[in-house]
């Protein structure tokens, strides 16, 4: 399937191991990549059969979380409310009962709310009118974007009104000189990225759900994704926001300026606020120039320490063109070998693998840099073997070894999944520690619930996906993992939710990553912006 | 002084104009660069003779701002307070009277407070004890970092206690793999950058005051500087903060994680808060790999539109290696020619000039990219002439044409200076509009107060320095400029303070860049964090 060539006719000590074909693969795109990673959330309330059930057979969120009770302060929706919404909103913006059902269920079919009303505003003014009324009437509201989240943040727990942003989808402006885009919150990420591609620019965020997720939701959840290593977080790339506060105030901070030091940077509070203090209705984003050349390489290495060494070399050799540095352990590749047709481009098995992607403006330069990188890795015996894709098909094949992991892990029954970040030196220790713990408890092996404990992730971001592949979901396994993994992360000052946020399922664990003073301050922020607590109740922060 | 060569023997239409010598200049550093720009603040209360006066002859800030009165709610310092501070702080941490005098005066000698007490804590716990006491006793406090600000934000207006961070200067840790640095707020920026240089990394911020400014102050003022085009703003690069709230609570959010989606990103509120809601005591920062190669080029162009065209080409050709794109009008260079010995590397006069810097990991690749860029600029007649520095001396000489502007502008008497940002298409229009207005008022020309109206700045950041060079400061000129320029910026959704912040002198103008809903929300944030208003009073936001 792959064609290879020796990297260079130089005096490499292990040149026989090198198979390198640095032919340009073009500005390929990987839309499907990491769609699987977006599943990477704790599987505590999982029901493997949920996919086959009818909507009205799915377990209600209120049943899955019996500890939650509906807030008595919230009014129950009545006819007068519906009439009011019909009177203030455009046609087709009010969806009731059966029409609202689909909005109650998340895309994983794991959460199911009981809302009877979906509102689809067209403008920030519409959103303002809705929130003002709900705030006055004490109607609870769930803002909903593409509904592709993983922690139950965008579906109702009880009968909250669903405020869907899908009706607001205009790209307002783009300046090709500065690269600043202004667009409605309800624009689909992929649509925006295609629009930018035609103008030689790129949205500074890429993730598996790009075909469904909306950029407002990306902002509200501070989405990380695949371009973070290269372009940094949305906290740096979003230049301005328009958001509506619970009392209906429109906060217009839709600046397109890169520099503006006039007061508190309020927009930052909304980035990652998961719809708890306001509804984002539009954003302006700094979009980088699109890279003309993309290369993908794959390496086998003998231990985790070598991955870190390779990363240091990647920063030196690839520096400004490095766009992805993914790692996976050999155990993940055993699953991929057993359960898929994806083929590794290098012979033999290695304890770890690395996938490196470069994106730059000059393909020859990039290939030369990649060659130099590869040569030093071999010379210093940091990697044992490796390959570079020679075209887009090969690049996709290499990515599939990384992308295919999640699907293959679930084939034996199911997977307990954790999305963590921690300091790089100890990042993989989490996987060993969890495996040892489960092993010591006699839960791993044939006839036992656990098949294996594996790890993979975005090394450049210090982000690991810990996965416990099981033959069946098992309370004993669950108790052995939790709160152990959260405590492990807490002791190393890591994050219990690196990119997926808190929503309904993780809010209660925030204390493992943020201390009391921090959580107290967050609760005061919530109280300040939303004193009546109508926005996305029961989620994000523990109750005061 | 300069050596040149023709860029390429290709069929360039205007090859005779090209003088290019793309020899590597090494990883040169420009410590002094743009020190002058740090003066770029409104000169409204200027006193050109202040530099020659003794400290105690300088005008008091309270006199320059007669509209301000000392807050009656604040207690006056007494002996018991001093005794208390001596009892809780380490030796030499309490400075009184004459020892406090130097801390009352800013580095421009434009602001002078009347504080009798400076406290120099060593730890966050010290800061906590100080603030807790001051909050209880209603003693107003001014946090002071390197005191290199431009808007009077770090000196007292009346008798506020000065809390100097200069005693906290330990680099706590650096991880060369991830590039994350953790350091006390009182570390000098240059010291930190030198420390990082030895480890092949770079602080993602560079500015003229680097030898004096402290990284905590950089964070508190969201400093922009020279590396913003390449590395983005501190909002993206600061990974964590430790800050002390007015009531003494230590907010420890000193994370070194690139990804952590657990709750509101509180640190962002402190970045750019100018000491009004808490005192930053430490920060963790993501530091990029240091570039091995740096190139500097200088071009003459016929109009502002060509600058924008050149910037688009720079993004295409230089893309990931572009590290500076500065522009200046020909009028600035007339001042440089008249008042300095700096020589331009190209013959003839042009209406505009561009300075481009690249930083990359491979010097040959960078030079090739720069050549390609230059060739296309000439082919498409976007630039008329240009030169590339062949060594560090030449690079510095090119930078001096940009750096020397401010000093030369003041030689005829003085300068009214404004630091603005606005959308790129209209950025330079501000200069023309201001010149036309002053001209129409009969204020420009020989025998008149105004020598000329000029503009220059960081094009890549949409940041312009508007300068009105005058023979003498003149109320009529001032009235002609203000509030005209603020209104002009407001109409174009620009910022009246792109990088210098608000402090004492700009707080009252915030309404030109932020609407009422934004300012109201900011005031509520201030009230939430500092209900007694002890931190940096009279500044930043208009009084409630």
């Amino acid at each position: 399937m792959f064609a290879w060539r020796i990297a260079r006719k130089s005096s490499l000590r292990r040149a026989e191991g090198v198979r390198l074909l640095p032919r340009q693969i073009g500005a390929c795109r990987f839309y499907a990549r990491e769609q699987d990673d977006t599943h990477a959330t704790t599987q505590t309330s999982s029901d493997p059969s949920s996919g086959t059930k009818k909507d009205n057979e799915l377990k209600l969120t209120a049943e899955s979380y019996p500890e939650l009770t509906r807030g008595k302060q919230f009014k129950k929706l009545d006819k007068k409310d519906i009439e009011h919404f019909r009177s203030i909103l455009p046609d087709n913006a009010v969806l009731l009962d059966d029409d609202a059902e689909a909005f109650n269920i998340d895309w994983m079919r794991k959460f199911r709310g009981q809302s009877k009303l979906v509102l689809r505003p067209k403008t920030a003014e519409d959103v303002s009118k809705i929130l003002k009324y709900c705030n006055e009437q004490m109607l609870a509201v769930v803002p909903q974007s593409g509904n592709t989240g993983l922690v139950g943040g965008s579906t109702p727990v009880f009968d909250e009104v669903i405020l869907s942003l899908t009706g607001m989808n205009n790209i307002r402006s783009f300046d090709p000189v500065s690269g600043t885009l202004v667009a409605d919150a309800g624009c689909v990420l992929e649509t925006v990225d295609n629009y930018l591609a035609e103008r030689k620019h790129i949205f500074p965020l890429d993730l598996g759900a790009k075909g469904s997720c909306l950029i407002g939701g990306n902002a509200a959840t501070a989405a990380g994704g695949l371009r973070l290593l290269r372009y940094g977080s949305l906290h740096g790339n979003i230049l301005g926001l328009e958001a509506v506060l619970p009392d209906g105030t429109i906060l217009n901070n839709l600046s397109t300026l890169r520099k503006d030091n006039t007061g508190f940077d309020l927009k930052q509070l909304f980035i990652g606020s998961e719809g708890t203090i306001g509804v984002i209705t539009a954003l302006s984003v700094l979009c980088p120039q699109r890279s003309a050349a993309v290369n993908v390489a794959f390496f086998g290495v003998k231990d985790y320490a070598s991955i870190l060494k390779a990363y240091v070399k990647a920063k030196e050799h690839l520096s400004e063109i490095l766009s992805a540095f993914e790692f996976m352990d050999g155990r993940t590749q055993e699953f991929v070998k057993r359960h898929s047709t994806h083929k590794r481009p290098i012979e033999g098995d290695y304890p770890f693998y690395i996938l490196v992607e470069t994106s730059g403006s000059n393909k020859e330069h990039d290939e030369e840099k990649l060659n130099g990188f590869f040569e030093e890795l071999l010379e210093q015996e940091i990697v044992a073997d490796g390959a570079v894709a020679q075209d887009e098909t090969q690049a996709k094949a290499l990515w599939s070894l990384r992308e295919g992991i999640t699907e293959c892990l679930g084939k034996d029954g199911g997977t307990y999944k954790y999305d963590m970040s921690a300091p790089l030196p100890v990042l993989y220790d989490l996987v060993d520690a969890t495996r040892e713990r489960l092993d010591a408890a006699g839960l791993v092996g044939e006839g036992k619930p656990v098949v294996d404990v594996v790890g993979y992730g975005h090394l450049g971001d210090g982000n690991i996906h810990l996965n416990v592949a099981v033959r069946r979901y098992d309370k004993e396994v669950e108790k052995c993992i939790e709160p152990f993994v959260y405590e492990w992360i807490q002791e190393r000052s890591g994050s219990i939710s690196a990119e997926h946020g808190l929503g309904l399922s993780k809010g209660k664990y925030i204390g493992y990553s943020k201390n009391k003073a921090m959580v107290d301050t967050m609760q005061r922020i919530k109280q300040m912006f939303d004193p009546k607590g109508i926005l996305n109740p029961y989620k994000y922060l523990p109750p005061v």
Side-chain angles (χ1 to χ4, degrees), chain A:
Chain A
M1 173 182 183
F2 280 82
W4 315 108
R5 72 171 175 109
I6 301 301
R8 208 174 71 165
K9 297 95 207 160
S10 71
S11 58
L12 289 179
R13 266 180 287 161
R14 302 195 40 171
E16 70 280 3
V18 192
R19 295 172 243 165
L20 194 66
L21 206 153
R23 212 174 80 196
Q24 178 52 25
I25 58 163
C28 56
R29 309 260 293 284
F30 306 98
Y31 289 158
R33 185 197 313 167
E34 208 163 90
Q35 180 72 38
D36 46 6
D37 272 15
T38 51
H39 291 268
T41 185
T42 316
Q43 200 68 26
T44 46
S45 62
S46 64
D47 175 359
S49 69
S50 67
T52 59
K53 286 182 179 170
K54 287 182 187 165
D55 284 359
N56 61 10
E57 292 169 355
L58 291 174
K59 199 170 177 181
L60 292 171
T61 299
E63 293 166 0
S64 307
Y65 290 78
E67 70 275 20
L68 296 176
T69 50
R70 185 183 179 282
K72 290 200 183 79
Q73 70 277 31
F74 297 126
K75 178 185 166 185
K76 291 201 176 178
L77 199 73
D78 62 32
K79 276 189 184 172
K80 274 181 67 181
D81 300 322
I82 311 268
E83 277 165 29
H84 176 79
F85 289 126
R86 285 214 168 106
S87 76
I88 61 168
L89 293 176
D91 289 348
N92 308 319
V94 179
L95 307 181
L96 289 171
D97 302 319
D98 286 356
D99 291 340
E101 187 56 28
F103 294 81
N104 272 293
I105 300 166
D106 75 308
W107 72 282
M108 298 182 295
R109 302 174 66 71
K110 189 174 157 188
F111 299 94
R112 181 177 158 223
Q114 305 163 61
S115 181
K116 299 292 175 206
L117 175 65
V118 176
L119 301 176
R120 296 180 67 201
K122 281 293 204 183
T123 64
E125 287 69 30
D126 290 346
V127 175
S128 169
K129 286 179 205 161
I130 292 169
L131 290 184
K132 189 168 187 298
Y133 181 82
C134 290
N135 199 47
E136 282 165 5
Q137 298 292 318
M138 284 302 288
L139 286 166
V141 177
V142 183
Q144 187 177 91
S145 187
N147 203 5
T148 62
L150 297 150
V151 288
S154 61
T155 46
V157 179
F158 300 101
D159 59 345
E160 301 92 288
V161 174
I162 298 171
L163 190 143
S164 167
L165 275 299
T166 46
M168 295 181 64
N169 49 18
N170 292 313
I171 291 175
R172 299 192 191 176
S173 68
F174 176 67
D175 174 18
V177 182
S178 63
T180 48
L181 171 94
V182 182
D184 284 352
C187 292
V188 173
L189 174 58
E190 189 170 17
T191 307
V192 175
D193 196 52
N194 288 343
Y195 171 92
L196 290 166
E198 287 167 18
R199 289 153 182 84
K200 294 189 194 170
H201 282 69
I202 191 168
F203 200 85
L205 170 75
D206 187 14
L207 71 169
K210 73 189 293 175
S212 314
C213 67
L214 312 181
I215 59 171
N218 297 148
T221 56
L226 294 159
R227 289 177 189 160
L228 192 130
L229 172 68
R230 174 65 169 272
Y231 302 119
S233 90
L234 289 179
H235 287 286
N237 293 317
I238 291 179
L239 299 176
L241 279 183
E242 179 187 77
V244 184
L245 303 186
D247 68 359
T249 302
I250 299 176
L251 218 50
N252 185 345
N253 184 207
L254 212 45
S255 166
T256 56
L257 308 170
R258 279 197 80 162
K259 282 181 175 172
D260 175 21
N261 275 347
T262 55
F264 300 119
D265 196 356
L266 295 179
K267 68 172 180 283
Q268 301 288 353
L269 276 183
F270 294 86
I271 301 171
S273 65
E274 302 185 24
T276 59
I277 55 172
V279 175
I280 297 169
T281 49
L283 49 158
S284 59
V285 182
L286 184 68
C287 300
Q289 188 76 13
R290 207 170 192 92
S291 294
V294 176
N295 286 296
V296 182
F298 190 87
F299 304 100
V301 297
K302 66 177 187 295
D303 51 25
Y304 179 71
S306 298
I307 298 178
L308 298 186
K309 284 181 198 158
Y311 182 59
V312 170
K313 294 295 171 196
K315 293 208 304 177
E316 279 173 29
H317 284 268
L318 306 176
S319 196
E320 64 272 10
I321 61 166
L322 185 63
S323 57
F325 193 102
E326 302 282 310
F327 77 106
M328 53 217 106
D329 61 19
R331 291 165 187 266
T332 62
Q333 296 307 299
E334 287 304 308
F335 284 87
V336 172
K337 198 197 279 182
R338 269 200 287 137
H339 295 299
S340 82
T341 55
H342 305 316
K343 291 273 173 293
R344 277 205 296 278
I346 50 181
E347 279 161 29
D349 296 322
Y350 293 93
F352 289 93
Y353 298 92
I354 305 170
L355 185 150
V356 173
E357 187 190 80
T358 65
S359 308
S361 56
N362 183 307
K363 66 172 187 140
E364 282 167 26
H365 293 171
D366 293 2
E367 286 170 5
E368 225 180 284
K369 287 186 176 90
L370 200 52
N371 268 337
F373 170 57
F374 203 170
E375 280 170 27
E376 185 162 350
L377 290 187
L378 286 164
E379 237 167 70
Q380 299 205 4
E381 301 188 22
I382 294 169
V383 302
D385 200 357
V388 176
Q390 65 167 337
D391 56 30
E392 196 170 335
T393 308
Q394 289 191 354
K396 279 186 178 164
L398 290 183
W399 267 109
S400 70
L401 294 166
R402 164 71 181 79
E403 289 166 38
I405 294 172
T406 301
E407 196 191 338
C408 297
L409 285 176
K411 292 278 185 185
D412 294 317
T415 326
Y416 291 97
K417 294 170 162 298
Y418 300 88
D419 165 43
M420 312 290 213
S421 64
L424 283 183
V426 301
L427 190 62
Y428 191 77
D429 292 350
L430 171 64
V431 183
D432 287 334
T434 308
R435 189 186 307 116
E436 281 160 23
R437 186 176 161 86
L438 284 161
D439 206 24
L443 294 165
V444 189
E446 272 198 35
K448 306 285 173 63
V450 177
V451 184
D452 206 350
V453 181
V454 307
Y456 60 99
H458 320 286
L459 189 94
D461 307 335
N463 187 185
I464 194 163
H465 298 298
L466 165 69
N467 280 246
V468 179
V470 292
R471 293 183 180 84
R472 58 186 180 275
Y473 293 120
D474 183 297
K475 276 283 164 202
E476 221 182 317
V477 171
E478 212 171 297
K479 277 187 208 158
C480 193
I481 306 175
E482 292 184 36
F484 169 75
V485 291
Y486 295 125
E487 287 167 357
W488 194 97
I489 284 292
Q490 182 176 34
E491 281 161 23
R492 283 147 192 92
S493 306
S495 173
I496 57 121
S497 193
E499 49 185 6
H500 298 158
L502 296 170
L504 179 64
S505 61
K506 294 283 185 78
K508 58 190 161 196
Y509 300 124
I510 189 174
Y512 287 106
S513 281
K514 295 285 157 67
N515 63 27
K516 188 174 178 307
M518 290 287 290
V519 176
D520 284 352
T521 308
M522 290 182 200
Q523 283 167 330
R524 288 163 67 203
I525 296 271
K526 164 73 178 176
Q527 171 70 21
M528 191 199 107
F529 279 94
D530 184 21
K532 293 182 167 182
I534 63 155
L535 272 185
N536 225 356
Y538 321 110
K539 297 171 186 165
Y540 200 61
L541 297 173
V544 179

